[in-house]
Amino acid sequence: MDGMPDNYAEAYAKAQRDSETLRRHLLLQQLLLEITATFLTLPQEKTQETMNASLKRVAEFVGADRAFIFDYDFRNSVACNTYEWCAEGISPQIDDLRVLPLDAISDAVSLHSEGEVHSIPDVFALPPGEMREVLEPQGIKSLLTVPAMFGGECVGCIGFDFVRMHHRHSEKEILILRVFADILMAFRRRVEDEIALQSHRDLIKGLFEGLPVGVLVWNGEGCLLQANRTFTELTGYSADDVATVGQWMDLAYPDPTYREKIAQSWRDDPHISGACREFQIVCGDGGQKDIEFRSISLPDNRTVVTLADITERKKTEREIMAAKKQAEAASVAKTRFLSNMSHELRTPLNGILGFSHLLRDTPLTVEQREYVQYILDSSELLKDVVGNVLDFSKIEAGKLELRYKPVNLELFCRETLRLIHFHAMEKGLSLDLKYDEHIPPILMADSLRLQQVLLNLLGNAVKFTERGGVLLSARLAAPASSEEKAAIIFSVNDTGIGMSQDELSRILRPFEQADNSSTRRYGGSGLGLPIASSLLSLMGSSLEIRSEAGKGSVFSFTLRLDSGGINPIIC
């Protein structure tokens, strides 16, 4: 019984301590609730001030002399001191420890990475090492750091330094400080998310305002939600000027008839996303511009319309169309002129030829007969030129038609050679035919135009060859069945003067020859090869030329001719 008062006193003292501890914990919880409420409505610009104030309140409550927040940068292996509060008389460390190597606090970082608290009740009891070397110069007696976790990952810590006296933390106090760390981290993340969101909004706004096209955003009721700066610069209208679709239509299209036409266009295809339309608008300064409109329908019933200025493009298109029509009219006029002139020239020319032939058959002296022959030769040359001009005008006008009929190709080639034989014989040139016996006997071809091509090539070969000869060859490119077209390769080889690469690039141009001296020496209009090339193009072929100056030339082309179901006839 004698010991009862002492037991009662001890129990009473313990109850008082427990009550005080409970009261402190309740006060700390109340403090955290107040801090949480502050953070929920805190403006972003007051973050720094409020973070320091919160550190101060919690640090003073637990008796700490310094509180701080470190962010861990695991990529660069450093810890960055971002916030710090110090009690009066305690020197700040944030400037000296702004960046700290993680290796210097590796024990704490390891525990924090596992989500554990790092507590040092007595710094001076630590064994020599990096952690003691960091803490002891600061005069720290005790240290508590709580991990800052986000998404299950440690991103830093919140620490409390005890400089004036040692301090031991209860489990309840540590638990509440963990909650404080979570509150601060949630707030910081919210601030970071808001900053990122605001940055994203600023980026979107910058892009929206800086787009090279005007942009209008309408809601489902036809009210304007947004208009960018380019729209105002482009049209001269502000967002207030075109607050509704109706206001925009009245300003941009003051002519009622044209406005109704445009409105009908949008009504006909109201929901085609990305649809492109081109209209002419009246701008704020009264000028007119051609605008390309594109519309994009959004899921929330908004519509985005872009406006691109195509005034210069439309002006260029109109100029091109006008120039094209003018060129076409000039081409038609030229073709008509050439056709009419060719016919007008042929009538008297035929009279000159006819009467010259009659005159040649009358008794004449040698000198007179020579003069008549000059007249005949010159008339024949002029007749060829007129014929070429007429053919060229027909080809340019697209009025030359091919007429296919059955042709015995071998007899056709021999007849063509016969027409040129006299000229070759006069120059002492050989004129030969190399004909492939595997070519079908009868083929469908436009014999008139094919002979015109071959006579031109053969005539040129004879004209530009002084020694040697000319060879016409026709061979089958590949065997053909009765249902297929036969591919026949025609070529004209000569041993004449040949051409350089520069000359080859010019000979297919109308009214040009390989060399200007050729016109003076050999004559000709420069239309023969261009006409031959155009005729081959109509037949689905093209002229290929191989030549070397001083070593002759090879002109070749391939025709695909129908060979099926034709009875043999003689051309």
Side-chain angles (χ1 to χ4, degrees):
M1 293 296 293
D2 293 338
M4 288 296 291
D6 292 336
N7 289 338
Y8 279 130
E10 182 178 342
Y12 178 76
K14 182 178 183 303
Q16 287 291 97
R17 290 194 301 272
D18 290 345
S19 177
E20 177 62 18
T21 300
L22 178 60
R23 186 185 69 83
R24 283 179 55 81
H25 290 163
L26 290 174
L27 290 174
L28 184 56
Q29 290 180 30
Q30 180 64 33
L31 176 61
L32 295 182
L33 287 173
E34 292 174 5
I35 292 173
T36 302
T38 301
F39 283 153
L40 286 175
T41 58
L42 183 67
Q44 183 181 313
E45 60 272 11
K46 292 187 176 182
T47 299
Q48 180 79 29
E49 175 187 340
T50 307
M51 291 289 283
N52 288 332
S54 299
L55 285 176
K56 175 180 182 296
R57 293 182 67 185
V58 174
E60 288 178 338
F61 192 91
V62 298
D65 301 300
R66 186 186 297 115
F68 55 86
I69 297 177
F70 269 104
D71 289 339
Y72 291 158
D73 182 354
F74 290 102
R75 177 177 297 177
N76 295 307
S77 300
V78 295
C80 301
N81 195 342
T82 54
Y83 296 96
E84 183 184 75
W85 168 85
C86 296
E88 186 175 352
I90 302 300
S91 59
Q93 300 295 318
I94 189 169
D95 292 331
D96 296 334
L97 299 176
R98 178 72 67 179
V99 178
L100 191 66
L102 290 181
D103 291 342
I105 53 172
S106 57
D107 293 342
V109 174
S110 296
L111 286 171
H112 294 160
S113 297
E114 298 296 325
E116 299 295 331
V117 170
H118 182 237
S119 176
I120 303 177
D122 186 357
V123 170
F124 301 103
L126 289 173
E130 292 179 341
M131 194 69 177
R132 183 169 178 174
E133 292 175 1
V134 172
L135 301 176
E136 192 171 347
Q138 302 178 54
I140 298 172
K141 292 183 173 60
S142 300
L143 172 71
L144 175 68
T145 55
V146 181
M149 309 296 289
F150 184 79
E153 300 290 333
C154 177
V155 295
C157 70
I158 298 173
F160 300 91
D161 293 340
F162 297 85
V163 179
R164 294 189 176 94
M165 58 186 297
H166 291 84
H167 185 82
R168 287 185 178 275
H169 302 279
S170 67
E171 290 297 321
K172 187 73 171 177
E173 191 176 52
I174 290 174
L175 178 61
I176 293 174
L177 290 177
R178 278 180 175 273
V179 173
F180 175 63
D182 290 341
I183 292 170
L184 290 187
M185 188 51 54
F187 171 70
R188 288 191 64 193
R189 289 300 176 186
R190 194 200 85 187
V191 170
E192 290 174 5
D193 289 345
E194 287 178 354
I195 292 172
L197 180 59
Q198 186 59 45
S199 176
H200 182 69
R201 286 172 178 165
D202 291 342
L203 175 62
I204 295 298
K205 184 178 180 181
L207 292 173
F208 179 75
E209 294 294 342
L211 283 172
V213 296
V215 182
L216 297 173
V217 183
W218 306 96
N219 65 14
E221 286 72 43
C223 296
L224 185 67
L225 301 177
Q226 281 180 291
N228 71 347
R229 182 174 60 249
T230 308
F231 167 77
T232 300
E233 294 171 353
L234 176 64
T235 65
Y237 298 122
S238 67
D240 294 336
D241 295 332
V242 292
T244 65
V245 171
Q247 287 177 273
W248 161 249
M249 296 290 285
D250 289 342
L251 289 172
Y253 315 110
D255 178 26
T257 304
Y258 188 56
R259 182 167 62 241
E260 178 56 30
K261 175 185 175 182
I262 291 168
Q264 187 61 47
S265 171
W266 288 101
R267 285 194 294 268
D268 289 342
D269 300 302
H271 302 300
I272 297 181
S273 188
C276 175
R277 299 171 174 87
E278 295 180 0
F279 303 126
Q280 194 171 74
I281 69 167
V282 175
C283 300
D285 61 2
Q288 293 185 335
K289 287 184 179 179
D290 290 294
I291 301 295
E292 179 185 84
F293 292 84
R294 290 184 181 273
S295 62
I296 303 171
S297 299
L298 302 181
D300 59 1
N301 209 29
R302 289 181 300 167
T303 300
V304 178
V305 179
T306 63
L307 299 82
D309 187 354
I310 58 171
T311 304
E312 289 302 317
R313 192 190 83 191
K314 298 298 287 186
K315 178 182 177 183
T316 302
E317 288 177 358
R318 286 190 286 268
E319 289 174 351
I320 291 173
M321 287 298 296
K324 182 183 176 184
K325 289 180 179 178
Q326 188 175 5
E328 288 174 347
S331 178
V332 170
K334 181 192 71 174
T335 300
R336 286 176 180 171
F337 172 76
L338 290 175
S339 179
N340 292 336
M341 286 301 297
S342 297
H343 285 294
E344 291 295 329
L345 288 171
R346 276 187 173 185
T347 301
L349 189 56
N350 286 333
I352 293 172
L353 281 169
F355 282 103
S356 295
H357 280 290
L358 292 175
L359 182 60
R360 187 180 58 179
D361 294 338
T362 62
L364 298 171
T365 64
V366 174
E367 186 177 11
Q368 289 172 335
R369 189 171 298 279
E370 184 179 351
Y371 292 161
V372 171
Q373 189 60 49
Y374 279 138
I375 295 172
L376 284 171
D377 292 342
S378 298
S379 300
E380 288 290 348
L381 178 60
L382 183 57
K383 183 181 178 183
D384 290 340
V385 171
V386 171
N388 284 338
V389 170
L390 185 58
D391 286 339
F392 185 72
S393 64
K394 284 183 178 179
I395 292 171
E396 274 202 327
K399 295 182 178 180
L400 194 146
E401 297 180 359
L402 300 178
R403 293 180 174 83
Y404 289 89
K405 64 179 182 179
V407 175
N408 183 319
L409 199 59
E410 182 177 6
L411 294 178
F412 169 82
C413 289
R414 295 188 184 282
E415 174 63 21
T416 302
L417 282 181
R418 190 183 66 80
L419 296 175
I420 209 77
H421 178 72
F422 176 76
H423 299 291
M425 185 179 65
E426 279 188 324
K427 299 184 69 172
L429 303 175
S430 63
L431 187 62
D432 299 307
L433 171 66
K434 184 178 180 182
Y435 192 83
D436 187 350
E437 62 182 11
H438 296 99
I439 295 175
I442 303 299
L443 295 167
M444 294 295 292
D446 186 327
S447 58
L448 177 64
R449 296 305 176 183
L450 179 56
Q451 190 172 74
Q452 185 176 351
V453 172
L454 290 175
L455 284 175
N456 180 272
L457 299 180
L458 290 166
N460 282 343
V462 171
K463 182 192 299 184
F464 296 106
T465 301
E466 300 299 332
R467 292 185 303 274
V470 176
L471 172 67
L472 169 64
S473 66
R475 62 183 177 88
L476 190 64
S481 65
S482 58
E483 293 81 17
E484 296 178 344
K485 291 187 176 183
I488 312 298
I489 301 175
F490 295 87
S491 64
V492 175
N493 302 50
D494 66 59
T495 57
I497 60 175
M499 290 173 286
S500 66
Q501 290 301 312
D502 180 59
E503 291 169 339
L504 284 174
S505 66
R506 299 198 306 268
I507 60 172
L508 294 182
R509 299 174 189 168
F511 303 105
E512 287 199 24
Q513 292 189 338
D515 185 353
N516 289 333
S517 63
S518 298
T519 304
R520 295 190 296 269
R521 182 178 177 186
Y522 298 102
S525 62
L527 283 175
L529 282 177
I531 290 174
S533 179
S534 298
L535 289 173
L536 288 174
S537 179
L538 288 174
M539 298 177 192
S541 184
S542 61
L543 188 61
E544 298 179 8
I545 309 170
R546 301 194 311 275
S547 186
E548 187 175 349
K551 295 185 178 180
S553 304
V554 178
F555 291 78
S556 62
F557 58 90
T558 302
L559 291 181
R560 300 186 65 83
L561 303 175
D562 195 350
S563 61
I566 304 172
N567 296 322
I569 63 170
I570 296 177
C571 177

